[in-house]
Amino acid sequence: MALIVHKYGGTSVGNIDRIHKVADRVAQAHRAGDQVVVVLSAMSGETDRLLKLAHEATPNPDDRELDMLLSTGERVTIALLAMDLRGRGINARSFTGRQVGIITDSAHTKARIARVTAERLHEALKHGVIPVVAGFQGINEQSDVTTLGRGGSDLSAVALAAALKADRCIIFTDVDGVYTADPNVVPAAKRIDKISYEEMLEMASLGAKVLQTRSVEFAAKFNVPVEVNSSFKEGKGTLVTREDADMESVAVAGVTGDRNQAKITIVGVPDKPGIAAKIFGPVANANINVDMIIQNMGLDSLTDLSFTVPRADLRKATPLIQGVAKDISAKSVSVTEAIAKVSLIGVGMRSHSGVAAKMFEVLSHEGINIHMISTSEIKISCVVDEKYMELAMRALHTAFGLDQPTK
Ligand code: ADP
Ligand code: ASP
Ligand code: MG
C-alpha cells in the first residue's frame, strides 16, 4: 500500500463542481488501496481577494493580522472537500495547519517551516481516515497563525510528504506537468518527463510559478519524489527527482520570464572604497533581496550603479536609496518598473559552451536591448524591457531547439 500526498491548487478547487472532481479522484485512489493525504489551496482568486480587503481596511496592514485573514481561504476548501467525501461514505476529516503540527518561525506572510509533528495525521491514517489538510499555513511557537508565502500550499504538501515519509507527493494543477516554458506564454512549449531538483529550483526561482521555490528546496533536501500533474485529465506528468546522466545531454532544459523585478539606478556615485557597503547595507537590513547588480565606470571617477529588487519591495526601497544617495553625494536616483528577467536553465550548461553567446545573438536579432546579465553554473539571465519579455522567451525557446515538432 503506497502513501501518497495529493495537493490540489486554487483552480482545481475553484468551485463546487471542481471540488466534486477532486473528491472523485481522491475516492478513486482510496479505492485502489492507496493511503491518501490531501492538501488544498484556497479557491482561485480567494487569497488575492482577501489581500485586497486587507488593503482596503488600511494601507499598510499588520503582518500577523494578514496571516489570520489569509489563512481562512484554505479552511473553506478543506471543509467542503471533507463534507463531499463524507457524504459519499468515505471517512475523511479536515485539519488546519495547526492541527497537523506545522510549526514555523514568526516571519509572518513568509514563514519558514521549523518542524512538522504530524501526530494527528499518523493517528488519522492508522484509523483509515483520509486527512484533508489546509495548505499555506502553520503556527509559530506562540501559536499565532502564520502563512508560508504565496503558492505555499506546495510547500505544505512537500513538508507533509517528508514528515510522513510518503512514497510520492503529487501536485495536481491546471497544467499536466512542468513545461520547457510557461505554456500560456510559449504555445510551442513541451512537457518535460523528468527534471532534476536543481533545474526545477532555478526554474521556480526565475519565474516558473508551477511549483513554489521553497517547496522544491524542501523536496531536494529531504529527497521527496514530486510529480506535477493535471487535476483535469488523466495522463503522464513530470517527475521532479535527482539528477541523472541523460539530463546533461541538452544544454538548455527550460526558459523562464519574471516580471516581479524592478531596477534602481544611482547615477554619479563617487568611485571609492566602501561605497557599495554603504548602499547595500541598509537595503539588506530592510530585508530587501537585491538580485542583479551592475556598475558602469565613467571617465570622471564617478560610476553609475544599477541593481534589481523585487517589485513588491520598491516602495520600501526607493526612499531608502534616495537617502543613501544623498549621504554619499551621488547625483540622482532613477527607478524603472517596466523590466523583466528572461532566463535559460539547464544542468547541461556545465558541459556545453556558447550558450550565453547564442542567447545574446538571439536577443540582438530580435532587436531586444539587454540591460543586465547574470550567470551561474546552470543558468543565464538577461534583464530586458518588460514589453519584450514574451517575444524573447519565444525566440529563445525556438533557437535552443525546444519547440514541439509541428504536427
Ligand atoms: P495552482 O493554483 O495549481 O498552484 P499555479 O497557477 O500556481 O497553479 O501554477 C500553474 C501555472 O504555472 C500554469 O497555469 C502555468 O501558466 C504556470 N507556469 C509557469 N511556468 C510554467 C512551466 N514551465 N511549466 C508549467 N506551467 C508553468
Ligand atoms: N492560497 C495561497 C496563494 O494563493 C497558497 C497557494 O495557493 O498555494 O498563494
Ligand atoms: Mg501554485
Side-chain angles (χ1 to χ4, degrees):
M1 184 167 49
L3 172 58
I4 318 274
V5 174
H6 282 205
K7 180 259 171 177
Y8 296 89
T11 340
S12 312
V13 293
N15 56 42
I16 291 289
D17 270 352
R18 296 214 162 139
I19 289 179
H20 289 324
K21 297 251 159 54
V22 169
D24 291 343
R25 203 179 268 272
V26 172
Q28 192 190 345
H30 178 68
R31 271 197 308 273
D34 284 338
Q35 272 188 310
V36 187
V37 173
V38 185
V39 175
L40 298 185
S41 288
M43 290 184 176
S44 53
E46 179 62 6
T47 309
D48 287 335
R49 187 185 73 85
L50 294 169
L51 256 178
K52 191 162 162 270
L53 272 180
H55 284 96
E56 279 166 19
T58 179
N60 203 359
D62 179 81
D63 284 346
R64 178 188 178 279
E65 303 311 323
L66 257 183
D67 277 353
M68 189 63 99
L69 179 70
L70 297 187
S71 65
T72 61
E74 273 72 11
R75 282 193 173 217
V76 173
T77 50
I78 55 166
L80 290 171
L81 181 68
M83 282 172 200
D84 184 335
L85 288 165
R86 294 186 72 80
R88 302 172 186 219
I90 295 172
N91 196 359
R93 274 290 174 223
S94 61
F95 295 100
T96 61
R98 177 203 190 110
Q99 287 173 316
V100 297
I102 297 185
I103 318 293
T104 71
D105 63 14
S106 291
H108 284 289
T109 76
K110 43 177 179 287
R112 297 189 78 92
I113 295 180
R115 63 201 156 84
V116 177
T117 63
E119 276 156 33
R120 293 197 67 178
L121 288 184
H122 286 296
E123 191 63 22
L125 291 170
K126 201 168 83 190
H127 292 99
V129 174
I130 300 182
V132 182
V133 183
F136 181 51
Q137 54 178 264
I139 50 160
N140 65 13
E141 297 289 350
Q142 288 76 49
S143 296
D144 283 334
V145 179
T146 53
T147 63
L148 309 176
R150 296 308 303 268
S153 299
D154 295 337
L155 177 59
S156 310
V158 171
L160 290 180
L164 297 169
K165 300 193 170 48
D167 296 284
R168 186 171 286 205
C169 177
I170 312 181
I171 306 288
F172 288 103
T173 181
D174 55 6
V175 273
D176 61 352
V178 178
Y179 277 65
T180 47
D182 184 343
N184 290 314
V185 175
V186 182
K190 285 187 293 232
R191 189 179 53 77
I192 302 170
D193 278 334
K194 206 160 66 166
I195 186 168
S196 67
Y197 291 122
E198 208 185 345
E199 282 172 329
M200 192 61 236
L201 187 61
E202 289 286 2
M203 282 188 65
S205 71
L206 293 169
K209 73 162 183 166
V210 60
L211 284 177
Q212 190 220 26
T213 307
R214 274 159 59 191
S215 73
V216 186
E217 229 167 40
F218 208 99
K221 190 164 168 196
F222 294 97
N223 222 348
V224 179
V226 174
E227 181 186 325
V228 178
N229 212 326
S230 166
S231 65
F232 301 114
K233 57 175 206 202
E234 300 287 333
K236 280 186 84 177
T238 298
L239 189 63
V240 188
T241 182
R242 282 213 185 120
E243 186 177 330
D244 63 30
D246 15 300
M247 290 177 182
E248 288 232 21
S249 63
V250 290
V252 174
V255 179
T256 60
D258 180 6
R259 289 193 166 89
N260 293 318
Q261 300 273 315
K263 183 170 94 168
I264 301 180
T265 302
I266 313 180
V267 180
V269 178
D271 186 24
K272 46 181 197 222
I275 291 284
K278 278 213 177 94
I279 296 172
F280 294 111
V283 178
N285 289 339
N287 254 326
I288 299 170
N289 283 326
V290 170
D291 181 23
M292 293 177 163
I293 303 175
I294 57 167
Q295 191 176 1
N296 292 323
M297 186 63 191
L299 292 173
D300 44 5
S301 70
L302 291 177
T303 68
D304 291 349
L305 188 83
S306 294
F307 55 95
T308 60
V309 297
R311 223 179 261 188
D313 288 333
L314 194 58
R315 254 202 289 176
K316 198 158 68 168
T318 310
L320 204 86
I321 293 300
Q322 277 161 341
V324 174
K326 214 165 155 200
D327 290 348
I328 59 172
S329 313
K331 282 189 184 151
S332 61
V333 174
S334 70
V335 170
T336 324
E337 279 195 70
I339 57 152
K341 185 164 69 170
V342 176
S343 310
L344 301 179
I345 296 106
V347 288
M349 282 185 205
R350 294 193 200 114
S351 49
H352 292 70
S353 56
V355 176
K358 184 162 166 187
M359 179 177 193
F360 305 151
E361 203 181 290
V362 172
L363 294 177
S364 123
H365 187 253
E366 297 294 333
I368 300 173
N369 192 27
I370 302 171
H371 297 289
M372 293 170 141
I373 300 166
S374 82
T375 64
S376 79
E377 208 190 12
I378 68 159
K379 70 122 208 274
I380 303 170
S381 303
C382 291
V383 170
V384 300
D385 287 341
E386 184 177 5
K387 62 179 182 223
Y388 296 128
M389 183 188 92
E390 298 195 355
L391 170 65
M393 286 172 70
R394 287 191 282 266
L396 290 165
H397 198 270
T398 306
F400 282 90
L402 297 174
D403 286 2
Q404 230 163 23
T406 41
K407 283 161 216 149

